[in-house]
């Protein structure tokens, strides 16, 4: 058995690694925002986009912990030679911070070509954001919903542009519980994560629908969602059991670099220039749960999200 495992190990790892982004698209002159890019797949995505071309993209790492983000940015600058890897403060659990980030960005930058809504929380004990939203819904969905809203005009003016939402296979286990969005009646942290990932899929679907039409067809303004795979990262840090299991079975999990491939693919692949409203895994289209294809729920979630955030987004 040990010999068989030794022989099979490279094949197992190749299977676990999944699809790779084969695009050689360059990013000269592009401006990219990646939320939560101080670690994990966000950091790996930032590293890849930072080195695409002789004069590569300006990559903005938007994170709550700026000290960790500065360390990551310094590492990426040293590895890629791209000095335009910049850290900006962004706390997705606080709408005030989101608005301040967007205001400063729009004052400093004229263009935005790729927005990767990557940051997320998972398996948090029950808690609420600064605005009273359940933490998973508030950070994973509402925070990115507001950020996208605030940056949308800049993205439109910079088109062709792409919005990439990192969701999860976990969306299959999610439901949008409009009667108890903030888990005040009942709460399960695993299900709360699933609900928020379903919200990512529905947001992408409704956003793409609203972007379609004459404008989208002409300039290639797209929004897509993805499942990165099961990645060995600190996303499970709030669960002792999951952290323990992740360490034991790390051989069967993707590395952050492997997990970043579909994010990179959605951000750069030429064949996706006019593809919008889709869901990808391993750099190819993937199955979406029936709840993730429910247009009525998507529209209702959009309207409820606007109400919660106090915005009008028609």
């Amino acid at each position: 058995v040990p010999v068989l495992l030794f022989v099979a190990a490279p094949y197992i790892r190749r299977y676990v690694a999944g699809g790779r982004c084969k695009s050689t698209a360059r990013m000269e002159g592009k401006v990219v925002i990646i939320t939560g890019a101080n670690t994990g797949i966000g950091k790996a995505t930032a590293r890849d986009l930072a080195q695409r071309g002789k004069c590569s993209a300006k990559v903005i790492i938007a994170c709550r912990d700026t000290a960790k983000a500065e360390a990551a940015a310094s590492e990426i600058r040293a590895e890629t030679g791209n000095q335009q890897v910049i850290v900006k403060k962004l706390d997705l659990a606080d709408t005030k911070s989101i608005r301040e980030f967007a205001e400063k960005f729009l004052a400093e930058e004229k263009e935005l070509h790729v927005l990767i809504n990557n940051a997320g929380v998972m398996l948090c004990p029950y808690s609420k954001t600064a605005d009273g939203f359940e933490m998973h819904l508030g950070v994973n969905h509402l925070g990115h919903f507001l950020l996208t809203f605030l940056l949308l005009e800049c993205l439109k003016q910079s088109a062709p542009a792409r919005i990439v939402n990192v969701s999860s296979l976990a969306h299959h286990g999610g439901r949008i519980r409009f009667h108890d969005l903030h888990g005040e009646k009942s709460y399960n942290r695993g299900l709360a994560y699933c609900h928020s990932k379903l919200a990512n899929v529905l947001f992408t679907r409704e956003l793409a629908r609203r972007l379609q039409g004459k404008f989208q067809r002409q300039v290639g303004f797209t929004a897509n969602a993805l499942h990165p795979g099961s990645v060995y990262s600190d996303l499970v840090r709030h669960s002792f059991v999951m952290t323990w299991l992740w360490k034991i079975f790390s051989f069967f999990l993707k590395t952050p670099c492997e997990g970043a491939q579909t994010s990179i693919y959605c951000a750069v692949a030429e064949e996706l220039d006019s593809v919008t409203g889709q869901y990808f895994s391993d750099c190819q289209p993937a199955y979406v749960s029936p709840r993730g294809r429910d247009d009525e729920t998507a529209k209702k979630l959009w309207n409820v999200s606007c109400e919660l955030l106090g915005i009008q987004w028609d």
Side-chain angles (χ1 to χ4, degrees):
V1 173
V3 174
L4 287 174
L5 287 174
F6 178 78
V7 172
Y11 300 97
I12 295 172
R13 277 302 313 157
R14 195 175 305 162
Y15 175 79
V16 169
R20 295 194 65 85
C21 177
K22 298 177 181 178
S23 171
T24 58
R26 298 161 74 88
M27 298 291 286
E28 282 100 343
K30 303 293 186 181
V31 179
V32 180
I33 292 176
I34 309 175
T35 66
N38 63 310
T39 187
I41 65 172
K43 181 180 175 182
T45 303
R47 181 188 294 110
D48 182 281
L49 299 186
Q51 60 189 358
R52 284 181 173 263
K54 191 173 182 180
C55 299
S56 296
K58 176 180 286 188
V59 179
I60 296 173
I61 294 177
C63 295
R64 177 178 57 84
D65 190 330
T66 54
K68 289 183 179 179
E70 286 290 357
S74 178
E75 182 182 320
I76 294 171
R77 286 193 292 265
E79 290 177 358
T80 66
N82 184 348
Q83 299 306 306
Q84 293 195 101
V85 180
I86 302 166
V87 171
K88 297 292 181 182
K89 171 81 172 181
L90 172 64
D91 184 353
L92 288 162
D94 186 345
T95 58
K96 182 181 177 182
S97 174
I98 298 169
R99 291 181 180 278
E100 288 176 350
F101 169 86
E103 184 179 347
K104 290 178 182 177
F105 173 83
L106 295 173
E108 296 170 1
E109 303 291 340
K110 295 181 179 179
E111 295 182 307
L112 175 60
H113 303 94
V114 181
L115 171 62
I116 303 179
N117 291 318
N118 165 82
V121 294
M122 180 179 182
L123 302 175
C124 298
Y126 188 76
S127 57
K128 289 187 175 182
T129 68
D131 301 274
F133 309 140
E134 187 278 315
M135 189 61 70
H136 292 90
L137 183 77
V139 171
N140 297 353
H141 169 59
L142 291 171
H144 284 128
F145 187 97
L146 178 59
L147 180 65
T148 305
F149 166 75
L150 295 171
L151 299 176
L152 191 69
E153 287 305 313
C154 186
L155 282 158
K156 283 183 178 180
Q157 293 168 13
S158 309
R162 300 185 184 190
I163 298 167
V164 179
N165 294 324
V166 179
S167 181
S168 170
L169 182 68
H171 85 270
H172 286 269
R175 292 179 60 193
I176 305 301
R177 304 169 69 245
F178 290 108
H179 66 287
D180 189 25
L181 274 178
H182 304 296
E184 294 169 329
K185 297 178 181 178
S186 65
Y187 180 75
N188 177 290
R189 56 185 180 173
L191 289 177
Y193 176 73
C194 295
H195 301 334
S196 71
K197 294 291 102 177
L198 174 59
N200 292 153
V201 172
L202 291 170
F203 168 46
T204 304
R205 187 178 184 88
E206 180 64 9
L207 176 59
R209 186 188 71 80
R210 289 168 179 257
L211 293 177
Q212 282 180 335
K214 182 178 179 181
F215 178 81
Q216 189 271 335
R217 286 198 301 270
Q218 286 182 341
V219 299
F221 188 17
T222 65
N224 290 298
L226 66 100
H227 167 56
S230 297
V231 182
Y232 187 65
S233 72
D234 63 355
L235 186 62
V236 296
R237 64 187 178 278
H238 293 291
S239 170
F240 172 78
V241 173
M242 288 296 290
T243 300
W244 182 70
L245 289 172
W246 246 229
K247 288 181 179 179
I248 292 176
F249 295 104
S250 60
F251 181 79
F252 300 99
L253 299 172
K254 290 185 178 184
T255 65
C257 181
E258 292 164 351
Q261 293 305 305
T262 308
S263 294
I264 297 165
Y265 175 74
C266 289
V268 306
E270 299 92 332
E271 61 266 32
L272 300 186
D273 282 344
S274 60
V275 175
T276 190
Q278 301 302 305
Y279 172 74
F280 294 88
S281 179
D282 283 326
C283 301
Q284 59 185 0
Y287 179 75
V288 178
S289 73
R291 290 193 180 105
R293 290 180 270 120
D294 188 328
D295 290 332
E296 290 306 311
T297 301
K299 292 173 185 176
K300 185 175 180 180
L301 177 63
W302 182 284
N303 292 330
V304 170
S305 298
C306 287
E307 290 174 13
L308 289 170
L309 294 165
I311 61 175
Q312 288 187 327
W313 190 355
D314 298 322

